[in-house]
Amino acid sequence: DWKCVSDKCSTLNISTLEQLCDQLFIEESITTQNILFQPDRKTFSVDFNMFCMIDKKGQAQKTLISSMYFVGALLGLIASGFCFDNFGRKKSILAGCFITTVAALIGFFCRNYELLLFIRLMQGFGNFVSGTAVFILGMELMPSSYRNYYNGFIQLIWCIGYPIVAALGYFIKDWNYQYLASSIFLFLTTIPSIFIMESPRFYAIKNDVHNIKISIQKLAKLNGIVLNVEEIELSELDDQRQQSVLQQLKDFMQYPILIVETLIQMLTWFLVAMSYYGFNFGWGSLVPNIYLGYIAAGISEAVAYILGVGITHVLGRRRFMMLILLGAVISFLISIIDVEIGQNWTIESISSLAGLLFISAAFSGIYLYSSELAPTSHRGLVFAMSSGSARIGSFLGPFVINNLYNITHKAVPLSVLSFLALVCIGGMFCLVETGDKDIPAVPADVKERRKHYKLRF
């Protein structure tokens, strides 16, 4: 992050940096013994005196900034489990977008470390509320034959977000202005959310007949259909059921299968996130060239999302998840073999990249599968619980790959991941195929869906 502009030197070694630490953060450029240093770009590490802390405090402070985002994400998921199923998908989207945009705008004015921590907390909170709500709303508006394609499209949009963020960081060299640019971009992408419709499925579990008809009319208009909603008879609404948190908890007790399916989903989300973030934060330990590793990982992820759509269309949700997790197990076990291919690339390096392809596909698959397994009355809550378990997995993943690799044989962490994947495959045998069925509205529909269930591949 520091550039030497003196013709008397070309590098800045750590001992010199430690000597200059006291002055380095007070002046934009420092002249000491005819040596001039000035920052290449304005970062919060420099502004908040975290660039060269001999006691490692600076590194801990920077790590906390990243951690606060995930803390906010977990809090957002806890809150969203209630908001999605009680206030609606659209309102949750707008609330999450508003929080994220305002947090980014505050970043432009941020001048102290404590405020930056708060900003990161609110960004994680808002991003996961709005992002999850967008996915759920889209799945509920899509007919069953298009949900697989919609899921693949959303995952590719996720991939596209990475180079956009990287471009903002590369071309804008002041971190405060990076936040300003982000807030403008977020504001512009929020505007379309104001005009989207609420899910008629959400209104159905709220027994709101008037708004159900309005949403259906909007959908018909989008498809060029003239529809007289007053002639629509809604005879399947449950007038006795009142959507609330207490009712959701009662449903779990009344329908144990809902608990079983939710726990299987939570375990799968945990494994997938643990593996995904473990590899993506651990390429320095797995491949000889970290930059090439990340490029290959990005390509692998995009390929996984594209292929996942086609394979899911042929095999269905359940079989796709079982086969893709089995592929991950095989990749993990092959990675244990110590064989060098050439130029410091090993069987482990190649197998790890292959494992990420399977895990990325599993990430896409479990998003789709969970949205169809959970009933509309509990979809927000189940998604929040599953994604919350994924956040725990994302915390543990980098520890497993980066730390256990250094203190134990690599067979230990890879065997742990393989064992968890096999458990998840076993859990998939207990689930039903959903691609050829309509999304259940209430837990009673989940029970009805399993009437003809048979334990088979």
Side-chain angles (χ1 to χ4, degrees):
D1 284 339
W2 294 89
K3 179 182 179 182
C4 178
V5 297
S6 171
D7 58 0
K8 299 181 182 299
C9 69
S10 59
T11 60
L12 178 65
N13 59 54
I14 188 63
S15 61
T16 305
L17 185 60
E18 291 170 358
Q19 294 170 4
L20 298 178
C21 268
D22 291 338
Q23 276 187 290
L24 203 54
F25 304 105
I26 300 174
E27 302 175 9
E28 292 186 1
S29 61
I30 302 95
T31 304
T32 303
Q33 297 178 348
N34 296 323
I35 299 178
L36 178 66
F37 300 100
Q38 68 181 29
D40 178 60
R41 58 177 61 233
K42 186 174 180 288
T43 68
F44 60 77
S45 296
V46 174
D47 284 356
F48 301 150
N49 199 17
M50 293 187 293
F51 190 80
C52 54
M53 295 277 186
I54 303 175
D55 59 358
K56 304 300 182 182
K57 181 182 177 182
Q59 184 60 42
Q61 287 178 317
K62 285 188 283 187
T63 301
L64 183 58
I65 291 173
S66 299
S67 299
M68 289 301 289
Y69 179 87
F70 289 103
V71 172
L74 188 57
L75 294 176
L77 290 168
I78 294 172
S80 64
F82 171 78
C83 295
F84 294 161
D85 296 332
N86 291 276
F87 298 134
R89 284 57 163 146
K90 178 179 178 178
K91 290 180 180 178
S92 298
I93 292 171
L94 293 175
C97 288
F98 175 79
I99 292 171
T100 308
T101 303
V102 171
L105 182 60
I106 295 174
F108 175 63
F109 302 98
C110 181
R111 296 295 182 270
N112 63 77
Y113 175 74
E114 290 73 19
L115 180 58
L116 181 58
L117 291 180
F118 175 76
I119 290 169
R120 293 293 291 167
L121 179 77
M122 298 311 296
Q123 284 184 304
F125 187 100
N127 275 337
F128 274 80
V129 169
S130 58
T132 307
V134 164
F135 184 82
I136 292 176
L137 177 59
M139 292 298 292
E140 292 181 347
L141 293 176
M142 290 287 163
S144 58
S145 58
Y146 287 93
R147 290 197 294 262
N148 179 32
Y149 302 103
Y150 169 76
N151 178 63
F153 173 75
I154 288 294
Q155 305 305 331
L156 285 175
I157 291 295
W158 175 278
C159 288
I160 293 172
Y162 286 117
I164 293 176
V165 172
L168 288 176
Y170 182 81
F171 291 107
I172 304 175
K173 297 191 176 184
D174 187 316
W175 71 277
N176 291 113
Y177 282 95
Q178 290 173 8
Y179 266 113
L180 177 62
S182 297
S183 67
I184 295 173
F185 182 80
L186 289 167
F187 174 75
L188 293 176
T189 54
T190 299
I191 294 176
S193 302
I194 300 174
F195 303 100
I196 61 175
M197 68 191 71
E198 180 57 89
S199 167
R201 295 177 185 273
F202 167 73
Y203 287 132
I205 64 172
K206 301 288 285 185
N207 297 310
D208 189 341
V209 176
H210 175 70
N211 280 312
I212 291 175
K213 292 183 177 181
I214 291 177
S215 291
I216 292 175
Q217 191 170 44
K218 289 181 178 179
L219 282 171
K221 187 176 180 180
L222 282 175
N223 289 278
I225 300 173
V226 178
L227 183 66
N228 185 358
V229 294
E230 298 305 323
E231 297 178 354
I232 297 177
E233 292 290 337
L234 301 172
S235 58
E236 297 184 4
L237 295 181
D238 185 357
D239 296 330
Q240 304 300 317
R241 189 183 187 283
Q242 296 298 320
Q243 179 74 356
S244 66
V245 175
L246 181 60
Q247 181 61 55
Q248 288 178 310
L249 296 177
K250 288 181 179 179
D251 289 336
F252 275 112
M253 302 305 297
Q254 185 177 355
Y255 300 94
I257 189 59
L258 194 58
I259 298 178
V260 174
E261 290 188 352
T262 301
L263 289 176
I264 294 173
Q265 292 175 71
M266 290 177 66
L267 178 61
T268 307
W269 280 71
F270 172 83
L271 163 74
V272 171
M274 185 177 180
S275 305
Y276 179 85
Y277 287 102
F279 283 116
N280 275 324
F281 283 98
W283 290 122
S285 305
L286 297 171
V287 297
N289 187 313
I290 188 171
Y291 300 105
L292 185 58
Y294 275 109
I295 292 173
I299 296 173
S300 175
E301 191 169 337
V303 169
Y305 295 149
I306 296 172
L307 292 179
V309 172
I311 299 173
T312 300
H313 179 74
V314 175
L315 297 180
R317 281 64 162 157
R318 190 172 72 106
R319 289 175 178 170
F320 170 76
M321 287 300 301
M322 295 170 72
L323 287 176
I324 215 72
L325 288 174
L326 181 61
V329 170
I330 294 172
S331 298
F332 295 155
L333 294 178
I334 292 177
S335 296
I336 297 175
I337 303 173
D338 281 315
V339 176
E340 185 169 339
I341 299 174
Q343 296 184 343
N344 295 324
W345 283 87
T346 63
I347 291 292
E348 177 189 11
S349 306
I350 303 300
S351 296
S352 296
L353 288 170
L356 180 66
L357 186 148
F358 288 114
I359 288 298
S360 297
F363 224 137
S364 175
I366 195 61
Y367 257 92
L368 173 64
Y369 205 12
S370 292
S371 67
E372 296 177 337
L373 282 169
T376 302
S377 59
H378 292 65
R379 190 163 298 116
L381 179 60
V382 171
F383 247 88
M385 294 169 65
S386 299
S387 192
S389 67
R391 302 288 71 74
I392 298 174
S394 65
F395 289 138
L396 295 178
F399 169 79
V400 169
I401 298 298
N402 291 327
N403 294 341
L404 288 185
Y405 255 63
N406 297 326
I407 61 177
T408 65
H409 191 276
K410 64 181 179 180
V412 175
L414 292 171
S415 297
V416 169
L417 294 176
S418 300
F419 172 76
L420 290 175
L422 289 173
V423 172
C424 291
I425 293 173
M428 292 295 157
F429 279 100
C430 301
L431 301 179
V432 298
E433 177 54 45
T434 58
D436 56 347
K437 300 177 180 66
D438 194 17
I439 295 178
V442 292
D445 297 334
V446 175
K447 184 178 179 180
E448 180 69 20
R449 182 178 61 188
R450 299 184 64 87
K451 269 191 174 181
H452 305 291
Y453 163 77
K454 292 181 181 180
L455 185 66
R456 61 175 182 266
F457 174 68

